[in-house]
Amino acid sequence: MTITPPALSVFETLESEVRSYCRGWPAVFDRAQGSHLYDEDGHTYLDFFAGAGALNYGHNNPVLKRALLDYLERDGITHGLDMGTTAKRAFLETFQNVVLRPRDLPYKVMFPGPTGTNAVEAALKLARKVKGRESIVSFTNAFHGMSLGSLAVTGNAFKRAGAGIPLVHGTPMPFDNYLDGQVPDFLWFERLLQDSGSGLNHPAAVIVETVQGEGGINVARVEWLRALADVCRRHDMLLIVDDIQMGCGRTGPFFSFEEAGIVPDIVTLSKSISGYGLPMSLTLFKPELDVWEPGEHNGTFRGNNPAFVTATAALDAYWADGQMEKQTLARGEQIESALVALCAEPSASGAVYRGRGVAWGVEFPDAGRAAAVCRRAFALGLLVETSGPEGAVVKLLPALTISPDGLEEGLRILARAVRETAHAG
């Protein structure tokens, strides 16, 4: 199909230059259902972006939408701060029964605010309060959010520069395979911890993504994650897993760290925890870490009751019987098979693929090629974006609920975009 970019006058004249996604997808979207978006001119787009991972169950999921509409139609509480409401109670009970108890996870649940960076800020603040130390260790190419504390543990230089002030009390360490396997895991980190002359202040915590989404779909091995958990235990540091993009089933299990068999001290969730794209986040932590004073960390919009309603419906519909994990792993195998074939084609020009579950990336030798693939994919009716510090990775984040046929269609479009940009740079 041929897509003519619309006149975006009000967006260009009134909205800030900070906007980004709309630049790669010059359309005015009007409605969405499942894995498809429709612009106001009637063009259809297959969505391999899923709200940056906030729409694991697709757009306007009918089960979640029905629950939300019923709640609104009976004048259910919309804004509730941290007051007790029937919607919050139903979510907490369902989260405990469907997610925590079956995994033998004893976490307390905190509602820190509506976005992922709120959850990270609360996690960092709590770790420092518990341990009485300031330093936090993060990893190369990490992304944890855009507020100042989260930026301090984010690796991307462009995003860090936007802070405008020094970002302190964070120390980066090499992520898994950052040194191409030439150095034993955590050799540098442990040496710094053991050497009183290293200059590294004893960290309160380590924060990690098991799969770095914004960093380029960098997948940590389960062995590396287990070793990290052991380092934290032996050196009295809390382990924080940022599961904001890779949690809620994106890698297969509900939590991305389950495969490694570890139990983090603190976990952050957001994006798809509401199930419907409504703002909501959680900071989970072991009970002994619950040292907050009442009101010590709060926020006006942490009680988004419509999000509690859709979150409860999502857990009931997709996580009560264990089928979601199996389906996601099957979709992952389908994606991997297609990417094996794609990267073997001459048109892929040395591209490599990697991923877990339904989070995959195709990295090209130069960033220009990845951007060109995304532009061509959009023209062909597929939404994909780049990731990685140089934007050299085409990132695939389709909804977990996408059909095998829909997934195959998107993968075909991606392959066509790669072939048709074979000489782009």
Side-chain angles (χ1 to χ4, degrees):
M1 70 181 167
T2 301
I3 298 172
T4 302
L8 301 177
S9 58
V10 71
F11 304 114
E12 294 172 345
T13 60
L14 187 60
E15 193 178 0
S16 166
E17 291 298 316
V18 78
R19 64 194 189 280
S20 60
Y21 294 117
C22 58
R23 298 178 188 275
W25 302 328
V28 178
F29 297 103
D30 181 54
R31 60 189 183 90
Q33 172 60 51
S35 289
H36 292 89
L37 289 92
Y38 305 89
D39 70 20
E40 62 181 355
D41 295 322
H43 297 118
T44 302
Y45 303 83
L46 185 57
D47 187 5
F48 269 29
F49 178 64
L55 296 166
N56 280 3
Y57 314 106
H59 295 268
N60 287 303
N61 182 288
V63 175
L64 279 55
K65 180 167 65 175
R66 185 70 265 160
L68 178 60
L69 290 174
D70 288 346
Y71 183 76
L72 294 176
E73 286 172 353
R74 71 169 184 82
D75 292 331
I77 298 292
T78 298
H79 181 270
L81 295 165
D82 67 358
M83 296 184 293
T85 67
T86 55
K88 183 199 281 190
R89 181 175 61 201
F91 169 73
L92 286 170
E93 290 174 349
T94 303
F95 190 71
Q96 183 176 49
N97 293 332
V98 174
V99 176
L100 297 181
R101 279 180 178 158
R103 293 162 180 80
D104 197 24
L105 295 173
Y107 295 135
K108 297 291 289 290
V109 178
M110 176 182 178
F111 300 102
T115 71
T117 198
N118 294 132
V120 171
E121 295 284 358
L124 301 181
K125 185 188 292 187
L126 180 61
R128 287 170 170 140
K129 180 178 175 65
V130 168
K131 292 299 182 183
R133 309 179 205 131
E134 297 174 346
S135 179
I136 304 288
V137 166
S138 58
F139 291 95
T140 49
N141 291 314
F143 178 79
H144 296 291
M146 297 297 284
S147 51
L148 293 179
S150 302
L151 273 180
V153 290
T154 287
N156 187 288
F158 173 74
K159 292 180 171 63
R160 289 175 62 88
I165 62 172
L167 297 171
V168 297
H169 309 308
T171 303
M173 291 291 163
F175 191 71
D176 191 13
N177 204 40
Y178 185 75
L179 300 173
D180 299 321
Q182 299 179 36
V183 177
D185 295 337
F186 307 112
L187 177 66
W188 172 242
F189 189 11
E190 291 225 59
R191 183 64 182 269
L192 292 177
L193 290 168
Q194 295 165 355
D195 184 359
S196 60
S198 71
L200 175 67
N201 293 331
H202 194 166
V206 175
I207 186 168
V208 67
E209 303 154 274
T210 66
V211 180
Q212 295 180 327
E214 299 303 307
I217 309 294
N218 305 312
V219 182
R221 294 168 296 133
V222 295
E223 297 84 1
W224 187 86
L225 292 169
R226 290 170 187 153
L228 174 61
D230 183 60
V231 169
C232 289
R233 179 186 56 79
R234 289 187 287 106
H235 292 279
D236 187 32
M237 302 177 295
L238 298 180
L239 176 60
I240 305 169
V241 168
D242 182 340
D243 236 1
I244 287 166
Q245 188 168 84
M246 296 300 157
C248 303
R250 175 57 57 178
T251 66
F254 187 86
F255 295 107
S256 71
F257 56 81
E258 291 182 53
E259 184 181 7
I262 61 175
V263 179
D265 298 291
I266 304 175
V267 180
T268 60
L269 286 177
S270 187
K271 290 194 182 286
S272 275
I273 185 59
S274 82
Y276 204 75
L278 298 175
M280 178 178 173
S281 71
L282 308 177
T283 304
L284 313 175
F285 39 84
K286 294 179 177 178
E288 61 269 26
L289 304 181
D290 194 8
V291 297
W292 294 114
E293 296 290 336
E296 191 174 7
H297 186 96
N298 57 23
T300 304
F301 295 103
R302 65 195 184 279
N304 186 354
N305 282 257
F308 296 155
V309 171
T310 55
T312 301
L315 294 177
D316 280 333
Y318 295 103
W319 292 99
D321 62 3
Q323 293 305 304
M324 187 82 261
E325 179 176 348
K326 295 177 183 177
Q327 177 177 301
T328 298
L329 295 175
R331 299 288 189 272
E333 291 174 0
Q334 183 180 352
I335 296 171
E336 183 173 17
S337 178
L339 296 186
V340 168
L342 175 60
C343 290
E345 293 187 16
S347 62
S349 303
V352 296
Y353 67 91
R354 53 184 177 263
R356 272 182 62 197
V358 187
W360 290 83
V362 180
E363 183 173 17
F364 292 89
D366 67 271
R369 181 68 188 284
V373 168
C374 290
R375 285 194 301 270
R376 184 58 188 153
F378 173 77
L380 295 171
L382 177 70
L383 300 185
V384 287
E385 67 153 349
T386 61
S387 69
E390 306 299 330
V393 178
V394 176
K395 182 167 71 171
L396 312 181
L397 290 178
L400 308 186
T401 52
I402 192 171
S403 68
D405 288 345
L407 193 54
E408 182 180 353
E409 178 189 356
L411 292 167
R412 281 200 308 267
I413 296 173
L414 175 66
R416 179 179 170 186
V418 170
R419 295 181 194 115
E420 294 182 359
T421 58
H423 302 292

